[in-house]
Every structure is written in structure tokens, then in C-alpha cells.
């Protein structure tokens, strides 16, 4: 083999590796709180420079119904903020809960 054949072979091999990395990266969510249990994408609200999620979004992420979410709020295991008539949860708090770093569910 000459140099150009070796170079072509190395380029092709590296291209296959990169393609495999791209496919693997597309199969998993970037963060645990980006995709709901049913596969739907969750888009957080921006408020005062922070990301927040609605009750419905948190329910979808955690796979719970509102009564369980209400118990978490009441116990203090999931802090919330009331903005007008909406209850919002900090994205970081929900993410920590999904990762297992938050309070008990």
C-alpha cells in the first residue's frame, strides 16, 4: 500500500467512527428533564433569568398525576413558585429530582 491508500483508509475509518458517535448521541436526551416519559419534548418557561416548568410538564417528566405532585409540593420535596395564578417549578430542582438528588417522591 502506498501513502495515499493508507490515508484514504484512515479517513474512511475515522468517518465511520464519527457517524457512529452522531447516531449514538441522537438516541439519548441531552438532559434527563428534556424528554417526558411519553417521549414528548419539554420546553421550559423563562422567568427572571431561570428556567421553570408547569405542573403538567413536571407530571410528564416524573410520570405522576397531580395528586402525587401536590403531595411533593406540600411536603417540600419539590419547591415551587407561584406566578400569578400559575404554579411553576424550577427546572434545576426537577432535574435534580429526576437524577435522584432531590427529595423523596
Amino acid at each position: 500500500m502506498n501513502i495515499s491508500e493508507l490515508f484514504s483508509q484512515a479517513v474512511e475509518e475515522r468517518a465511520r467512527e464519527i457517524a457512529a458517535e452522531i447516531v449514538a448521541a441522537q438516541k439519548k436526551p441531552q438532559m434527563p428533564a428534556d424528554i417526558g416519559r411519553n417521549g414528548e419534548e419539554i420546553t421550559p418557561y423563562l422567568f427572571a433569568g431561570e428556567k421553570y416548568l408547569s405542573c403538567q410538564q413536571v407530571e410528564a417528566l416524573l410520570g405522576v398525576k397531580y395528586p402525587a405532585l401536590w403531595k411533593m409540593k406540600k411536603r417540600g420535596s419539590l419547591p415551587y413558585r407561584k406566578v400569578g395564578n400559575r404554579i411553576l417549578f424550577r427546572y434545576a430542582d426537577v432535574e435534580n429530582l429526576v437524577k435522584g438528588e432531590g427529595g423523596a417522591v
Side-chain angles (χ1 to χ4, degrees), residues 27-41:
K27 289 185 180 178
K28 59 184 177 183
Q30 292 78 17
M31 299 171 71
D34 287 343
I35 306 294
R37 299 258 183 211
N38 297 328
E40 72 276 8
E41 188 172 330

Side-chain angles (χ1 to χ4, degrees), residues 27-71:
K27 289 185 180 178
K28 59 184 177 183
Q30 292 78 17
M31 299 171 71
D34 287 343
I35 306 294
R37 299 258 183 211
N38 297 328
E40 72 276 8
E41 188 172 330
I42 304 294
T43 305
Y45 296 96
L46 288 177
F47 178 75
E50 284 194 77
K51 294 179 183 179
Y52 285 87
L53 299 168
S54 69
C55 290
Q56 293 82 11
Q57 291 171 321
V58 175
E59 289 172 20
L61 287 170
L62 300 180
V64 299
K65 300 288 183 190
Y66 186 77
L69 185 60
W70 186 82
K71 287 178 185 176

Side-chain angles (χ1 to χ4, degrees), residues 39-105:
E40 72 276 8
E41 188 172 330
I42 304 294
T43 305
Y45 296 96
L46 288 177
F47 178 75
E50 284 194 77
K51 294 179 183 179
Y52 285 87
L53 299 168
S54 69
C55 290
Q56 293 82 11
Q57 291 171 321
V58 175
E59 289 172 20
L61 287 170
L62 300 180
V64 299
K65 300 288 183 190
Y66 186 77
L69 185 60
W70 186 82
K71 287 178 185 176
M72 286 189 278
K73 287 182 350 189
K74 188 171 181 172
R75 275 189 264 147
S77 60
L78 187 58
Y80 67 95
R81 180 178 193 160
K82 194 155 185 184
V83 179
N85 62 348
R86 295 196 68 136
I87 293 175
L88 298 176
F89 300 89
R90 271 188 48 218
Y91 184 87
D93 293 336
V94 176
E95 184 179 13
N96 288 339
L97 192 63
V98 168
K99 288 180 180 176
E101 300 170 5
V105 175

